[in-house]
Every structure is written in structure tokens, then in C-alpha cells.
Amino acid sequence: MSINWICKHHTELSAQQLYAILRLRAEVFVVEQQCVYLDVDGQDLLGDTCHLMAWQEEQLVAYLRLLDPVQQDGNVVIGRVATAPSARGQGIGHKLMVQALDHAGEKWPGRPIYLSAQAHLQGYYGRYGFKPVGEVYLEDGIPHIGMRRDLG
């Protein structure tokens, strides 16, 4: 099945798209990873924040958000990276990162990109040019590390 990639400014999201995004994030982060936290953190609708979605037919199968660098100390911040359990093992996560880097580079050329990675995924993000910054820290009981990629 083919994937329809859509990257939208938060003001362009339909109610159905926003619902699908919040549902996928809750499914992955709150239910699967058992992290009880307030996912709706006030950043989804700030500035020029964009939402990257991968759709297969009518199903949202992967997602991440790109936070506006003006709101994030000059860094584009990739966050809420999620792949639906039913879509794993198909390489969609890799395609999601390639799409994210392409969109960030087009929308905010030359800006560094930052993400907070689960510590065991350092090698995964390293494939895309991210390097660890700082020390490992706990977020919702899961070890994380900051990672940064300079676009140059």
C-alpha cells in the first residue's frame, strides 16, 4: 500500500486530522509506553509549528511535529515521533525521518534540528546526522538524551 505524506501548518489541520494525531499519540505514548502525562502541551498550535503525517488509505500510520524555531531558541524541534503498532516493520519510521528533515530544510533552511530521543535510539537518530548533546536524563521514567543536527 502506498503512503500519502502530508505536512501541514497547524492552522490547516482538519478536525479529523487533529483527532487522528491525538489518538495515535495517546495510543503510542500513553497506552503502549504507559506514560501518564499531558500530551496536549500547548505547543501543537504555536507559531509556525507543522504536523507531518503518513496516511495509508484512511489510517494515520506515522506522525511527528516540527516545532517553530522562533519558539524554540532557534532550533527546529522534532517531537512526538510515533508509528502505529500495526505499521511497524515496514520502514515507515525511516521514511518519516527523511520526510521530516526535508520539510525542516525547506521551511527553515540552515536551522539546526534538535530532538529528545529515548537513549536506546541514539544509533537510530545518528544515521540521520544527529549527535548527542548533554547527559542522559529521565523523562516519564524513560532514559532520554538530547540530540542535535546542524544543517549548516
Side-chain angles (χ1 to χ4, degrees):
M1 282 187 258
S2 66
I3 297 172
N4 183 21
W5 293 97
I6 299 171
C7 190
K8 286 190 171 183
H9 188 272
H10 65 83
T11 58
E12 301 170 328
L13 292 172
S14 70
Q16 291 81 7
Q17 288 168 327
L18 182 57
Y19 182 86
I21 289 167
L22 295 175
R23 185 176 192 279
L24 178 61
R25 287 174 16 184
E27 177 184 9
V28 172
F29 303 124
V30 178
V31 177
E32 181 182 349
Q33 295 182 1
Q34 300 179 351
C35 293
V36 179
Y37 74 108
L38 185 58
D39 176 53
V40 181
D41 61 1
Q43 297 192 63
D44 292 310
L45 307 178
L46 277 180
D48 276 336
T49 292
C50 293
H51 300 268
L52 178 60
M53 302 166 278
W55 294 86
Q56 268 183 338
E57 297 183 11
E58 299 297 317
Q59 192 74 23
L60 180 63
V61 294
Y63 164 84
L64 60 73
R65 69 181 180 188
L66 297 166
L67 297 178
D68 180 358
V70 171
Q71 309 290 326
Q72 304 295 320
D73 296 324
N75 296 301
V76 177
V77 176
I78 293 176
R80 302 296 200 261
V81 180
T83 301
S86 62
R88 294 185 187 147
Q90 302 174 34
I92 293 172
H94 290 290
K95 293 174 186 168
L96 180 66
M97 285 307 300
V98 169
Q99 289 278 330
L101 296 174
D102 287 349
H103 284 285
E106 288 173 22
K107 185 152 182 70
W108 300 290
R111 295 286 187 142
I113 302 174
Y114 177 88
L115 55 81
S116 176
Q118 290 186 12
H120 72 278
L121 294 174
Q122 288 181 63
Y124 173 81
Y125 290 113
R127 296 183 212 170
Y128 303 99
F130 287 91
K131 294 182 177 27
V133 291
E135 300 295 322
V136 173
Y137 59 92
L138 284 180
E139 184 175 314
D140 299 317
I142 300 171
H144 281 73
I145 189 161
M147 298 190 78
R148 183 180 164 116
R149 179 181 193 263
D150 291 315
L151 292 179

